[in-house]
Amino acid sequence: MNELYPKHVAIIMDGNGRWAKSRGLPRIRGHHAGAEAVRRLLKGAAKFGIQWITLYAFSVENWKRPAAEVNGLMSLLTGFLSANRKTLCDNKIRLRIMGRRSDLPDAVNRLLQSVEKETARFDGPQLILCLSYGGREELVHATRQIAAEVQAGTRSPDQITEKTIAEHLYLPDVPDPDLIIRTSGEERLSNFLLWQCAYAEFVFLPEPWPDFDENSLKRALDLFASRNRRFGGIVDRHGSSIVSAPDAP
Ligand code: IPE
Ligand code: IPE
Ligand code: MG
Protein backbone atom coordinates (compact mmCIF):
# COMPACT_ATOMS: atom_id res chain seq x y z
CA MET A 1 0.00 0.00 0.00
CA ASN A 2 1.35 3.40 -1.01
CA GLU A 3 1.03 6.07 1.68
CA LEU A 4 0.86 8.76 -1.02
CA TYR A 5 -2.33 7.25 -2.37
CA PRO A 6 -5.60 9.10 -1.68
CA LYS A 7 -7.89 8.13 1.16
CA HIS A 8 -11.05 9.40 -0.54
CA VAL A 9 -11.56 8.83 -4.27
CA ALA A 10 -14.69 10.14 -6.01
CA ILE A 11 -15.55 8.96 -9.50
CA ILE A 12 -17.71 10.40 -12.26
CA MET A 13 -18.50 7.14 -14.02
CA ASP A 14 -19.10 8.44 -17.52
CA GLY A 15 -19.30 6.85 -20.97
CA ASN A 16 -21.61 3.84 -20.52
CA GLY A 17 -23.86 4.96 -23.37
CA ARG A 18 -20.99 5.55 -25.81
CA TRP A 19 -19.41 2.21 -24.86
CA ALA A 20 -22.67 0.47 -25.82
CA LYS A 21 -23.20 2.55 -28.97
CA SER A 22 -19.73 1.75 -30.28
CA ARG A 23 -20.67 -1.93 -30.05
CA GLY A 24 -24.09 -1.52 -31.63
CA LEU A 25 -25.77 -2.33 -28.29
CA PRO A 26 -28.61 -0.53 -26.46
CA ARG A 27 -27.43 2.03 -23.88
CA ILE A 28 -28.69 -0.07 -20.98
CA ARG A 29 -26.14 -2.73 -21.87
CA GLY A 30 -23.48 -0.09 -21.28
CA HIS A 31 -24.93 0.56 -17.83
CA HIS A 32 -24.84 -3.17 -17.05
CA ALA A 33 -21.18 -3.31 -18.13
CA GLY A 34 -20.64 -0.24 -15.93
CA ALA A 35 -22.01 -2.13 -12.92
CA GLU A 36 -19.40 -4.84 -13.56
CA ALA A 37 -16.73 -2.13 -13.52
CA VAL A 38 -18.02 -1.05 -10.09
CA ARG A 39 -17.58 -4.60 -8.81
CA ARG A 40 -13.99 -4.64 -10.08
CA LEU A 41 -13.37 -1.23 -8.56
CA LEU A 42 -14.47 -2.39 -5.10
CA LYS A 43 -11.83 -5.12 -5.17
CA GLY A 44 -9.11 -2.71 -6.37
CA ALA A 45 -10.07 -0.10 -3.80
CA ALA A 46 -9.61 -2.56 -0.97
CA LYS A 47 -6.20 -3.58 -2.33
CA PHE A 48 -5.00 0.04 -2.50
CA GLY A 49 -6.32 0.98 0.94
CA ILE A 50 -8.89 3.52 -0.20
CA GLN A 51 -11.17 4.40 2.72
CA TRP A 52 -13.96 6.27 0.95
CA ILE A 53 -15.13 5.56 -2.59
CA THR A 54 -17.78 7.98 -3.79
CA LEU A 55 -19.55 7.10 -7.03
CA TYR A 56 -21.62 9.47 -9.11
CA ALA A 57 -24.27 7.00 -10.18
CA PHE A 58 -27.26 9.22 -11.04
CA SER A 59 -27.45 13.00 -11.10
CA VAL A 60 -30.47 15.23 -10.51
CA GLU A 61 -30.13 16.14 -14.19
CA ASN A 62 -30.23 12.47 -15.27
CA TRP A 63 -34.01 12.43 -14.64
CA LYS A 64 -34.22 14.23 -18.00
CA ARG A 65 -33.31 10.99 -19.78
CA PRO A 66 -35.98 8.83 -21.44
CA ALA A 67 -38.16 6.95 -18.92
CA ALA A 68 -37.02 3.58 -20.25
CA GLU A 69 -33.37 4.40 -19.49
CA VAL A 70 -34.20 5.85 -16.05
CA ASN A 71 -36.28 2.78 -15.15
CA GLY A 72 -33.54 0.52 -16.47
CA LEU A 73 -30.99 2.30 -14.26
CA MET A 74 -33.22 2.01 -11.18
CA SER A 75 -33.71 -1.72 -11.67
CA LEU A 76 -30.01 -2.15 -12.37
CA LEU A 77 -29.34 -0.41 -9.05
CA THR A 78 -31.65 -2.71 -7.08
CA GLY A 79 -30.23 -5.76 -8.89
CA PHE A 80 -26.68 -4.62 -8.15
CA LEU A 81 -27.39 -4.03 -4.47
CA SER A 82 -29.17 -7.33 -3.99
CA ALA A 83 -26.39 -9.21 -5.79
CA ASN A 84 -23.55 -7.45 -3.94
CA ARG A 85 -25.03 -7.06 -0.50
CA LYS A 86 -23.20 -10.13 0.76
CA THR A 87 -19.89 -8.93 -0.73
CA LEU A 88 -20.33 -5.61 1.09
CA CYS A 89 -20.97 -7.44 4.37
CA ASP A 90 -18.18 -9.99 3.87
CA ASN A 91 -15.71 -7.18 3.18
CA LYS A 92 -17.13 -4.98 5.96
CA ILE A 93 -17.86 -2.10 3.59
CA ARG A 94 -20.37 0.46 4.82
CA LEU A 95 -22.89 1.70 2.24
CA ARG A 96 -23.88 5.37 2.38
CA ILE A 97 -26.16 7.39 0.11
CA MET A 98 -25.94 11.03 -0.93
CA GLY A 99 -28.66 12.81 -2.82
CA ARG A 100 -32.32 13.76 -2.90
CA ARG A 101 -33.61 10.43 -1.74
CA SER A 102 -37.26 11.41 -1.92
CA ASP A 103 -36.92 11.39 -5.75
CA LEU A 104 -36.12 7.67 -5.78
CA PRO A 105 -38.80 4.98 -6.19
CA ASP A 106 -40.03 3.53 -2.89
CA ALA A 107 -38.69 0.06 -3.66
CA VAL A 108 -35.21 1.49 -4.29
CA ASN A 109 -35.33 3.51 -1.07
CA ARG A 110 -36.44 0.49 0.96
CA LEU A 111 -33.56 -1.63 -0.34
CA LEU A 112 -31.05 1.18 0.16
CA GLN A 113 -32.21 1.67 3.74
CA SER A 114 -31.97 -1.99 4.50
CA VAL A 115 -28.40 -2.32 3.14
CA GLU A 116 -27.36 0.91 4.88
CA LYS A 117 -28.74 -0.45 8.14
CA GLU A 118 -27.09 -3.82 7.71
CA THR A 119 -23.67 -2.25 7.01
CA ALA A 120 -23.91 0.69 9.44
CA ARG A 121 -21.86 -1.14 12.07
CA PHE A 122 -18.76 -1.36 9.86
CA ASP A 123 -16.17 1.30 10.64
CA GLY A 124 -13.75 0.52 7.78
CA PRO A 125 -14.10 1.43 4.10
CA GLN A 126 -17.22 3.21 2.88
CA LEU A 127 -18.97 3.04 -0.46
CA ILE A 128 -20.90 6.25 -1.04
CA LEU A 129 -23.45 6.18 -3.84
CA CYS A 130 -24.61 9.53 -5.20
CA LEU A 131 -28.20 9.06 -6.34
CA SER A 132 -30.37 11.88 -7.59
CA TYR A 133 -27.39 13.94 -6.52
CA GLY A 134 -26.57 17.50 -7.51
CA GLY A 135 -23.89 19.69 -5.97
CA ARG A 136 -26.02 22.83 -6.22
CA GLU A 137 -29.01 20.93 -4.85
CA GLU A 138 -26.90 19.85 -1.85
CA LEU A 139 -25.97 23.47 -1.16
CA VAL A 140 -29.62 24.55 -1.44
CA HIS A 141 -30.54 21.81 1.04
CA ALA A 142 -27.83 22.97 3.47
CA THR A 143 -28.82 26.63 3.06
CA ARG A 144 -32.47 25.88 3.83
CA GLN A 145 -31.53 24.08 7.03
CA ILE A 146 -29.26 26.90 8.16
CA ALA A 147 -31.90 29.51 7.29
CA ALA A 148 -34.43 27.58 9.38
CA GLU A 149 -32.02 27.63 12.34
CA VAL A 150 -31.60 31.39 11.97
CA GLN A 151 -35.36 31.83 11.74
CA ALA A 152 -35.82 29.73 14.89
CA GLY A 153 -33.27 31.92 16.66
CA THR A 154 -30.82 29.11 17.38
CA ARG A 155 -28.12 30.67 15.18
CA SER A 156 -27.29 34.22 14.17
CA PRO A 157 -26.15 35.08 10.61
CA ASP A 158 -22.66 36.03 11.76
CA GLN A 159 -22.26 32.57 13.29
CA ILE A 160 -22.44 31.03 9.81
CA THR A 161 -18.96 29.89 8.80
CA GLU A 162 -17.50 27.42 6.30
CA LYS A 163 -17.75 24.83 9.05
CA THR A 164 -21.49 25.49 9.42
CA ILE A 165 -22.03 24.84 5.72
CA ALA A 166 -19.84 21.73 5.76
CA GLU A 167 -21.83 20.42 8.75
CA HIS A 168 -25.09 20.73 6.82
CA LEU A 169 -24.02 18.79 3.73
CA TYR A 170 -25.56 15.36 3.11
CA LEU A 171 -22.73 13.39 4.78
CA PRO A 172 -20.94 15.85 7.06
CA ASP A 173 -18.66 13.25 8.64
CA VAL A 174 -17.08 12.24 5.31
CA PRO A 175 -13.86 14.13 4.51
CA ASP A 176 -13.48 16.00 1.22
CA PRO A 177 -12.37 13.85 -1.72
CA ASP A 178 -8.63 13.87 -2.40
CA LEU A 179 -8.99 12.68 -5.97
CA ILE A 180 -11.76 13.03 -8.56
CA ILE A 181 -11.60 10.67 -11.53
CA ARG A 182 -13.77 11.14 -14.61
CA THR A 183 -13.78 8.57 -17.40
CA SER A 184 -14.63 8.82 -21.10
CA GLY A 185 -12.60 11.92 -21.88
CA GLU A 186 -15.03 14.60 -20.69
CA GLU A 187 -13.37 17.22 -18.52
CA ARG A 188 -16.16 18.73 -16.46
CA LEU A 189 -17.77 18.31 -13.05
CA SER A 190 -21.41 18.04 -14.17
CA ASN A 191 -22.60 19.33 -10.78
CA PHE A 192 -20.57 16.84 -8.69
CA LEU A 193 -19.41 17.68 -5.13
CA LEU A 194 -19.10 21.41 -5.81
CA TRP A 195 -18.29 22.37 -2.23
CA GLN A 196 -16.14 19.35 -1.43
CA CYS A 197 -13.94 19.64 -4.58
CA ALA A 198 -12.29 22.88 -3.47
CA TYR A 199 -8.84 21.30 -3.20
CA ALA A 200 -9.34 17.96 -4.93
CA GLU A 201 -6.92 16.70 -7.57
CA PHE A 202 -8.48 15.76 -10.92
CA VAL A 203 -7.61 12.89 -13.23
CA PHE A 204 -9.43 12.55 -16.55
CA LEU A 205 -9.15 9.16 -18.21
CA PRO A 206 -10.00 8.50 -21.88
CA GLU A 207 -11.58 5.08 -21.42
CA PRO A 208 -15.35 4.80 -20.99
CA TRP A 209 -16.46 3.63 -17.55
CA PRO A 210 -17.22 -0.02 -18.56
CA ASP A 211 -13.55 -0.39 -19.58
CA PHE A 212 -12.26 0.93 -16.25
CA ASP A 213 -10.14 -1.76 -14.61
CA GLU A 214 -7.45 -2.14 -11.98
CA ASN A 215 -4.85 -0.63 -14.34
CA SER A 216 -7.01 2.45 -14.82
CA LEU A 217 -7.32 2.82 -11.06
CA LYS A 218 -3.60 2.34 -10.53
CA ARG A 219 -2.84 4.92 -13.23
CA ALA A 220 -5.09 7.48 -11.57
CA LEU A 221 -3.66 6.75 -8.11
CA ASP A 222 -0.09 7.04 -9.40
CA LEU A 223 -0.88 10.37 -11.06
CA PHE A 224 -2.32 11.55 -7.76
CA ALA A 225 0.78 10.37 -5.91
CA SER A 226 2.99 12.39 -8.27
CA ARG A 227 1.10 15.64 -7.65
CA ASN A 228 2.17 18.32 -5.22
CA ARG A 229 -0.82 19.53 -3.22
CA ARG A 230 -0.18 22.93 -1.75
CA PHE A 231 -3.58 24.04 -0.45
CA GLY A 232 -2.58 27.63 -1.12
CA GLY A 233 0.60 27.28 0.96
CA ILE A 234 4.15 26.93 -0.30
CA VAL A 235 5.08 23.31 0.14
CA ASP A 236 4.29 20.28 0.61
CA ARG A 237 2.91 16.94 -0.48
CA HIS A 238 -0.58 15.69 0.24
CA GLY A 239 -1.34 18.04 3.07
CA SER A 240 0.84 16.08 5.45
CA SER A 241 3.06 18.99 6.42
CA ILE A 242 1.93 22.32 5.13
CA VAL A 243 4.51 24.97 5.96
CA SER A 244 3.31 28.56 6.29
CA ALA A 245 5.35 31.31 4.71
CA PRO A 246 7.26 33.22 7.42
CA ASP A 247 5.56 36.43 6.34
CA ALA A 248 2.07 34.96 6.11
CA PRO A 249 -0.58 37.14 7.76
C1 IPE B 1 -22.72 7.44 -17.21
O1 IPE B 1 -22.76 7.05 -18.55
C2 IPE B 1 -23.82 6.81 -16.40
C3 IPE B 1 -24.89 7.76 -16.01
C4 IPE B 1 -24.87 9.05 -16.19
C5 IPE B 1 -26.04 7.19 -15.34
P1 IPE B 1 -23.64 7.83 -19.58
O2 IPE B 1 -24.99 7.21 -19.64
O3 IPE B 1 -23.63 9.30 -19.31
O4 IPE B 1 -22.86 7.52 -20.93
P2 IPE B 1 -22.56 8.54 -22.11
O5 IPE B 1 -21.91 9.74 -21.53
O6 IPE B 1 -23.89 8.86 -22.73
O7 IPE B 1 -21.66 7.79 -23.03
C1 IPE C 1 -22.46 12.84 -15.00
O1 IPE C 1 -22.53 12.29 -16.27
C2 IPE C 1 -23.40 12.11 -14.08
C3 IPE C 1 -23.03 10.73 -13.75
C4 IPE C 1 -21.93 10.13 -14.10
C5 IPE C 1 -23.99 10.04 -12.94
P1 IPE C 1 -23.48 12.88 -17.39
O2 IPE C 1 -23.26 12.04 -18.60
O3 IPE C 1 -24.88 12.97 -16.90
O4 IPE C 1 -22.91 14.35 -17.58
P2 IPE C 1 -22.99 15.34 -18.82
O5 IPE C 1 -24.43 15.44 -19.23
O6 IPE C 1 -22.15 14.75 -19.91
O7 IPE C 1 -22.41 16.63 -18.32
MG1 MG D 1 -22.44 10.83 -19.91
Side-chain angles (χ1 to χ4, degrees), residues 11-16 18 27 55-62 64-65 73 130-133 182-184 186 188-192 209:
I11 307 184
I12 304 173
M13 309 182 288
D14 198 17
N16 294 351
R18 278 163 284 171
R27 289 178 59 86
L55 298 179
Y56 204 6
F58 194 89
S59 73
V60 276
E61 287 80 16
N62 289 149
K64 287 188 224 157
R65 295 188 180 197
L73 281 165
C130 298
L131 295 168
S132 197
Y133 175 83
R182 183 169 187 150
T183 55
S184 91
E186 311 294 348
R188 56 176 172 265
L189 272 179
S190 302
N191 203 10
F192 191 43
W209 175 250

Side-chain angles (χ1 to χ4, degrees), residues 204-215:
F204 299 104
L205 297 175
E207 58 266 43
W209 175 250
D211 289 341
F212 186 94
D213 60 12
E214 200 175 302
N215 286 333

Side-chain angles (χ1 to χ4, degrees), residues 212-233:
F212 186 94
D213 60 12
E214 200 175 302
N215 286 333
S216 317
L217 179 62
K218 175 94 173 35
R219 204 158 75 243
L221 299 179
D222 286 340
L223 275 167
F224 175 86
S226 71
R227 304 255 176 101
N228 191 0
R229 296 180 90 186
R230 287 186 287 271
F231 299 95

Side-chain angles (χ1 to χ4, degrees), residues 43-115:
K43 282 193 197 153
K47 187 165 155 187
F48 295 121
I50 301 168
Q51 281 295 305
W52 293 270
I53 284 271
T54 298
L55 298 179
Y56 204 6
F58 194 89
S59 73
V60 276
E61 287 80 16
N62 289 149
W63 294 109
K64 287 188 224 157
R65 295 188 180 197
E69 180 166 344
V70 170
N71 294 339
L73 281 165
M74 293 299 145
S75 50
L76 174 62
L77 174 64
T78 48
F80 177 85
L81 277 179
S82 309
N84 290 285
R85 162 174 211 154
K86 187 171 179 306
T87 313
L88 292 178
C89 290
D90 290 350
N91 293 292
K92 299 191 166 30
I93 299 171
R94 180 175 179 194
L95 179 76
R96 320 266 322 252
I97 307 299
M98 276 179 96
R100 212 164 53 191
R101 303 178 70 134
S102 56
D103 292 348
L104 299 169
D106 289 344
V108 173
N109 261 325
R110 274 196 301 274
L111 179 60
L112 290 172
Q113 269 165 27
S114 127
V115 182

